[in-house]
Amino acid sequence: MKLEFWFDFASNYSYLSVMRIRSLAPDGVVWRPFLLGPIFKDAGWDNSPFVLQKDKGDYALRQDMPRQCAKYGLPWRQPSIFPRNSLLAARVGLLCEDQPWMLDFCERVMLANFAEDRDIDLACMTRILSELGQDAAAILRAATGDDNKARLRARTEQAKAHRIFGAPTFLLGDAMFWGNDRLEDALAASSSQSAGGIAR
Amino acid sequence: MKLEFWFDFASNYSYLSVMRIRSLAPDGVVWRPFLLGPIFKDAGWDNSPFVLQKDKGDYALRQDMPRQCAKYGLPWRQPSIFPRNSLLAARVGLLCEDQPWMLDFCERVMLANFAEDRDIDLACMTRILSELGQDAAAILRAATGDDNKARLRARTEQAKAHRIFGAPTFLLGDAMFWGNDRLEDALAASSSQSAGGIAR
């Protein structure tokens, strides 16, 4: 069974996992972009816990992320805006999640946000889609159409139904693995299950 | 510089780290038992986030902990009470943190809580201290004396001053490492600094 990779383009720990997929999961994952905002809102929070809990946020963004990026050989620039609005990126990601270039798209959006300190807005999406040789205007039109907007709302409801509370989250049937630190364990469980073993 | 290991006897992820110290840090750590409750209270929470955020708590205690314990070869029994009252254990731990048997004490308290599903109360402390060949009555009298109570309050204020927001937390000078998942990184930084390197 292929691993489902639930993530938000605004999430810094999702950045780490997206950037590690290419080498750790050469057979790919099932992409599940979603929005954390509505999940946090249900928990009674009007913003990221890394903003609401300043000590935790400062630790995560100013100590842990630089060290983790150094460990993985990934670039890191302290975002001047956190969390960035990831609505448009999520809509494009959802629309394109089955495309063969989805990993390239995700990597470039994450690098814009966390290595280049750029907004992941309309201009950024247009540039990245064009660089990938896609018809940016057509994709953005479909991504912001009513059908796709409704699909993203449904996706986020699915996240709630799975009791997802953060990102990245890896799902393998009923088994949940939360956080970039569990990516290896999740992939091992996925391989074990594919080989006829028991995932949990 | 020796690593400071800040932990709460009620914290399940502190259990994992306590049990891994013997093999990972044969030269020991600087023990810093403290209470998370006042930290959570300052954050506006009247209980553990694993109780207040039920989805997160269920994930941590029913999925992640069993798998992590299996990975580390540690016993695990779903605690029937979570979090347990760790006030007395913290007072005894604080009083005895420089004793050569501190690691033995910590391991036994953690095993009582998370492998045997037992309260870490007066009876438990008496049994463990006696098993360690100590004068349990004398230690418990000193641990619950006004001086030691004040020391524990001061310790928790120190945790706040360090901007500690969870447990386990490892401190190496100004560098903070949060969570059992960072124990290896923290110890590597400690070794690197002892060898004349730069910790961060």
Side-chain angles (χ1 to χ4, degrees):
Chain A
M1 193 187 292
K2 250 192 194 170
L3 196 63
E4 290 185 19
F5 175 12
W6 292 71
F7 68 103
D8 186 319
F9 287 103
S11 147
N12 56 293
Y13 288 110
S14 295
Y15 162 56
L16 298 182
S17 288
V18 162
M19 301 306 292
R20 301 200 302 136
I21 290 297
R22 192 177 294 274
S23 62
L24 292 183
D27 293 339
V29 292
V30 178
W31 296 100
R32 288 289 180 259
F34 76 109
L35 292 176
L36 269 174
I39 306 276
F40 290 157
K41 203 174 164 191
D42 276 9
W45 307 330
D46 63 359
N47 206 329
S48 161
F50 291 168
V51 175
L52 299 178
Q53 299 171 242
K54 187 169 164 35
D55 287 349
K56 191 176 194 171
D58 279 355
Y59 163 78
L61 293 172
R62 296 177 186 279
Q63 293 211 46
D64 196 45
M65 284 299 296
R67 285 194 303 247
Q68 291 290 301
C69 286
K71 186 162 79 174
Y72 295 130
L74 294 173
W76 169 255
R77 192 179 299 171
Q78 174 70 32
S80 54
I81 299 172
F82 182 89
R84 286 206 154 88
N85 186 329
S86 58
L87 177 59
L88 182 61
R91 285 175 174 161
V92 174
L94 179 68
L95 183 74
C96 303
E97 65 190 10
D98 294 326
Q99 298 297 323
W101 42 268
M102 176 67 174
L103 173 56
D104 301 270
F105 172 77
C106 292
E107 286 179 341
R108 286 172 192 230
V109 174
M110 288 299 201
L111 286 169
N113 193 353
F114 296 107
E116 299 157 17
D117 191 24
R118 295 163 77 153
D119 288 335
I120 49 176
D121 54 6
L122 185 63
C124 179
M125 294 301 111
T126 302
R127 173 181 62 80
I128 290 174
L129 290 168
S130 302
E131 284 172 3
L132 293 173
Q134 304 305 314
D135 183 341
I139 288 174
L140 287 162
R141 201 162 43 239
T144 53
D146 285 344
D147 280 4
N148 198 56
K149 286 181 182 176
R151 280 188 65 219
L152 182 57
R153 284 192 294 272
R155 169 64 52 84
T156 301
E157 289 307 310
Q158 288 164 12
K160 291 181 190 176
H162 283 301
R163 303 182 63 195
I164 285 175
F165 55 86
T169 290
F170 309 99
L171 294 184
L172 191 69
D174 288 339
M176 175 186 288
F177 300 81
W178 171 56
N180 174 64
D181 292 318
R182 294 291 176 272
L183 175 54
E184 282 86 349
D185 287 353
L187 288 168
S190 171
S191 301
S192 158
Q193 200 176 67
S194 301
I198 294 165
R200 326 176 28 189
Chain B
M1 191 187 291
K2 249 193 195 170
L3 197 62
E4 290 185 18
F5 176 11
W6 292 71
F7 68 103
D8 186 319
F9 287 104
S11 148
N12 56 293
Y13 289 110
S14 295
Y15 162 56
L16 298 181
S17 288
V18 162
M19 300 307 292
R20 300 199 304 136
I21 290 298
R22 191 177 296 273
S23 63
L24 291 183
D27 293 339
V29 292
V30 178
W31 297 101
R32 289 287 180 260
F34 76 110
L35 292 177
L36 269 174
I39 306 276
F40 289 158
K41 203 173 165 191
D42 277 8
W45 308 330
D46 62 0
N47 205 329
S48 161
F50 290 167
V51 175
L52 299 178
Q53 300 170 243
K54 186 168 165 34
D55 288 349
K56 191 175 192 170
D58 279 354
Y59 164 78
L61 294 172
R62 296 178 186 278
Q63 293 212 46
D64 196 45
M65 284 300 296
R67 286 193 303 247
Q68 292 291 300
C69 286
K71 185 162 79 174
Y72 295 129
L74 294 172
W76 168 256
R77 193 180 298 172
Q78 175 70 31
S80 54
I81 299 172
F82 182 89
R84 285 205 156 88
N85 186 330
S86 58
L87 177 60
L88 183 61
R91 284 176 175 161
V92 174
L94 179 70
L95 184 75
C96 302
E97 63 190 11
D98 294 326
Q99 298 298 322
W101 43 269
M102 176 67 174
L103 173 56
D104 301 270
F105 172 77
C106 293
E107 286 178 341
R108 286 171 191 230
V109 175
M110 288 299 200
L111 287 170
N113 193 354
F114 296 107
E116 298 157 15
D117 191 24
R118 294 163 78 152
D119 288 336
I120 48 176
D121 55 7
L122 185 64
C124 179
M125 295 301 111
T126 302
R127 174 181 62 81
I128 290 175
L129 290 168
S130 301
E131 284 173 2
L132 294 172
Q134 303 305 313
D135 183 341
I139 287 175
L140 287 163
R141 200 161 44 239
T144 53
D146 286 344
D147 281 4
N148 198 57
K149 287 180 180 177
R151 280 188 65 220
L152 182 58
R153 284 192 295 271
R155 168 65 52 85
T156 301
E157 289 306 311
Q158 288 164 12
K160 291 181 190 176
H162 283 301
R163 303 182 63 196
I164 285 175
F165 56 86
T169 291
F170 309 98
L171 295 183
L172 191 70
D174 289 338
M176 174 187 289
F177 300 81
W178 172 56
N180 173 64
D181 292 318
R182 294 290 176 274
L183 175 53
E184 281 86 350
D185 287 353
L187 288 168
S190 171
S191 300
S192 158
Q193 199 176 70
S194 301
I198 294 164
R200 332 181 16 192

